[in-house]
Amino acid sequence: MIPSIGDDTRADAPIDVLIVGGGLVGGTLAVLLANAGLAVTLVDRADPAAGLDAAFDGRASAIALATHRVLAAAGLWDRLGPGASPINEIRVADAGSLLFLHYDHSDIGDAPFGYMIENRNLRRALYEAQRAARNLTVVAPATVAAMDLSGPRAALTLADGRVLAAALVVGADGRASQARALAGIRATGWTYRQTGIVCTVDHERPHGFVAHEHFLAAGPFAILPIRGEPGREEHQSSLVWTEREDLAPAVMALSDDDFLAELALRFGDFLGSLALVGPRWSYPLSLLLAERATAARFVLAGDSLHGMHPIAGQGLNMGLRDVAVLAEVLADAKRLGLDLGSPAVLEDYERGRRFDNTLMLGMTDALNRLFSNDVAPVRLARDLGLAAVNALPGLKKVFMRHAMGEAGELPRLMRGRNV
Ligand SMILES: Cc1cc2nc3c(=O)[nH]c(=O)nc-3n(C[C@H](O)[C@H](O)[C@H](O)COP(=O)(O)OP(=O)(O)OC[C@H]3O[C@@H](n4cnc5c(N)ncnc54)[C@H](O)[C@@H]3O)c2cc1C
């Protein structure tokens, strides 16, 4: 018999938390909660093994110092091996201007600002950690057909007829979230009419673990240090080249030689000669904000809740901050024997994330508007702004702590404590 939403047996299913979407955010949450003793089921429409393919995702993510502790708590850091590269300095400059902003981690301590991690390495670490987690069931590839949040337990019906019931459903299925739509949560947003072109280059001179952001008329051009092969650890960088969406297809269609020539014009020659490593990827850039983070027995986390411009490398950081707060709230509720899907528990999560996420969305949007244009008075104002921050040590230290993700009230996991 195919179970239905009304099937009584679902009330006995021992799932605490059902996560829809096993990307970097949903996958990390699943491991953390399972390791904290909650019974977790993760549903993804894709085969998790497909994410291990090098061609799946060419991006590398800048992970702030405080956020990396969430990955460490999930046991992912140790599984990355030597894959992460520290970010010890950050240089921000407007193309054609002599004014710039330079952060050096040694001005405020020994720790780096954060780390660059290739997404493919993080996916592999997640895959291994999920296989090792005892309380975690992965149902994938699987398609969700319906969701019922009206009963004493949330119920998810899969396209093959299986019904999964849990105290709480987490929608972590990305920007076009089906779970968000099924929960009746609306989202607003817009396209930036920009495309993020991503590739890896090998360069003649060492990067010295410095991250660069150049502001060009079409948008930011980021040069981010990653760890190369043994012996050439400091000779590879991941690039995010923001281009107008109408020009990006032509750039993507260039031959490797022509692409490299265009790239070199934007990159400059400070790291010597360049060579392309692997293919290029392109990502349409947009903003998205869900009107709320929760519904009855339901929460959103990661890009399904907030999709932002990669100008400050914050999308995954914010998703992992969601994870840190949600894991803390749910682990506390479990210890106290509370209903994990009760309004009081969900309210703690909503309150814990609303301000931080909205602030970061607003900041990344404003930065992109300020820097992705060539209007002379705006250029002058922003260049003076960069130089002013650079010249004011007190203010600069505040911004450096923000870059580390250390500012504000942090959940336990981001302070290096257990969930
Ligand atoms: C060019 C670029 C550079 C970036 N650089 C950085 C950076 O340096 N630092 C940073 O912090 N962030 C960065 N980001 C942002 C970051 O990549 C995203 O915020 C992050 O990957 C979002 O992860 P997620 O798990 O929430 O969503 P996703 O990665 O979209 O994962 C969603 C998951 O849900 C699954 N799914 C989708 N639909 C369904 C469905 N209907 N049913 C079941 N499963 C489903 C998918 O298969 C997938 O596994 C960058 C983004 C771009 C575009």
Side-chain angles (χ1 to χ4, degrees):
M1 188 187 89
I2 297 175
S4 70
I5 294 286
D7 188 338
D8 284 339
T9 57
R10 70 190 167 95
D12 302 326
I15 305 172
D16 287 320
V17 180
L18 192 51
I19 301 172
V20 182
L24 299 178
V25 171
T28 304
L29 178 67
V31 172
L32 270 169
L33 293 180
N35 289 346
L38 279 74
V40 181
T41 294
L42 178 63
V43 178
D44 200 293
R45 68 176 173 195
D47 180 352
L52 303 180
D53 192 317
F56 184 81
D57 183 349
R59 289 171 294 184
S61 298
I63 298 295
L65 181 70
T67 327
H68 107 279
R69 297 188 191 116
V70 182
L71 300 177
L76 301 172
W77 202 251
D78 293 340
R79 293 179 191 273
L80 284 174
S85 160
I87 302 172
N88 289 341
E89 293 176 50
I90 302 173
R91 291 184 74 94
V92 182
D94 216 352
S97 166
L98 293 176
L99 302 175
F100 63 90
L101 177 60
H102 177 219
Y103 293 157
D104 186 333
H105 78 124
S106 62
D107 288 345
I108 49 172
D110 295 332
F113 290 108
Y115 299 89
M116 286 305 303
I117 309 172
E118 290 179 68
N119 287 11
R120 64 192 172 104
N121 291 340
L122 195 46
R123 283 182 202 285
R124 189 180 12 81
L126 257 182
Y127 184 76
E128 289 169 6
Q130 286 174 2
R131 287 167 74 96
R134 254 192 271 141
N135 300 320
L136 174 61
T137 307
V138 179
V139 182
T143 310
V144 176
M147 189 163 73
D148 180 5
L149 302 172
S150 62
R153 289 174 71 76
L156 207 67
T157 306
L158 303 183
D160 64 8
R162 271 179 290 176
V163 178
L164 305 168
L168 178 71
V169 175
V170 180
D173 49 345
R175 290 182 186 221
S177 172
Q178 179 197 13
R180 185 180 65 224
L182 290 173
I185 298 179
R186 283 184 307 195
T188 51
W190 50 80
T191 168
Y192 284 111
R193 302 199 186 291
Q194 290 171 321
T195 300
I197 299 172
V198 172
C199 65
T200 302
V201 291
D202 191 278
H203 35 76
E204 190 185 359
R205 290 200 276 274
H207 51 51
F209 303 109
V210 184
H212 298 260
E213 184 129 58
H214 297 164
F215 290 110
L216 309 178
F221 184 92
I223 304 170
L224 305 158
I226 58 173
R227 202 173 276 280
E229 297 300 312
R232 290 189 63 76
E233 284 90 351
E234 294 189 40
H235 291 264
Q236 279 194 3
S237 292
S238 171
L239 308 187
V240 183
W241 165 357
T242 310
E243 192 44 87
R244 277 170 37 188
E245 70 173 2
D246 55 332
L247 299 181
V251 174
M252 289 299 288
L254 291 173
S255 68
D256 276 0
D257 285 348
D258 290 344
F259 180 79
L260 197 56
E262 284 295 323
L263 185 88
L265 289 175
R266 290 158 177 82
F267 195 107
D269 58 4
F270 68 104
L271 289 180
S273 60
L274 305 175
L276 273 176
V277 180
R280 326 154 198 168
W281 286 264
S282 68
Y283 299 87
L285 304 183
S286 61
L287 177 143
L288 177 138
L289 179 62
E291 66 179 13
R292 56 204 158 90
T294 64
R297 299 205 170 277
F298 181 85
V299 302
L300 291 168
D303 272 22
S304 63
L305 174 60
H306 45 68
M308 57 193 74
H309 195 288
I311 187 165
Q314 287 296 335
L316 180 56
N317 280 285
M318 288 295 120
L320 292 174
R321 289 171 85 107
D322 297 342
V323 166
V325 172
L326 190 54
E328 180 174 316
V329 166
L330 293 178
D332 285 350
K334 180 81 176 173
R335 269 182 220 115
L336 294 169
L338 302 177
D339 174 356
L340 301 183
S342 66
V345 172
L346 305 191
E347 174 58 26
D348 281 350
Y349 173 62
E350 173 97 50
R351 217 186 17 245
R353 293 306 300 141
R354 194 72 191 171
F355 179 72
D356 195 30
N357 280 330
T358 311
L359 188 72
M360 189 56 80
L361 263 182
M363 198 199 80
T364 52
D365 187 57
L367 277 177
N368 187 52
R369 283 170 201 278
L370 182 64
F371 282 99
S372 299
N373 72 68
D374 216 7
V375 180
V378 179
R379 280 184 62 117
L380 180 64
R382 72 196 183 206
D383 291 350
L384 290 173
L386 287 180
V389 174
N390 204 47
L392 294 169
L395 186 60
K396 200 168 157 182
K397 281 184 184 164
V398 172
F399 279 119
M400 285 197 268
R401 295 220 180 276
H402 271 280
M404 288 175 159
E406 301 276 29
E409 201 182 319
L410 297 179
R412 289 196 292 267
L413 285 175
M414 294 180 65
R415 285 182 273 133
R417 292 172 50 200
N418 287 331
V419 72

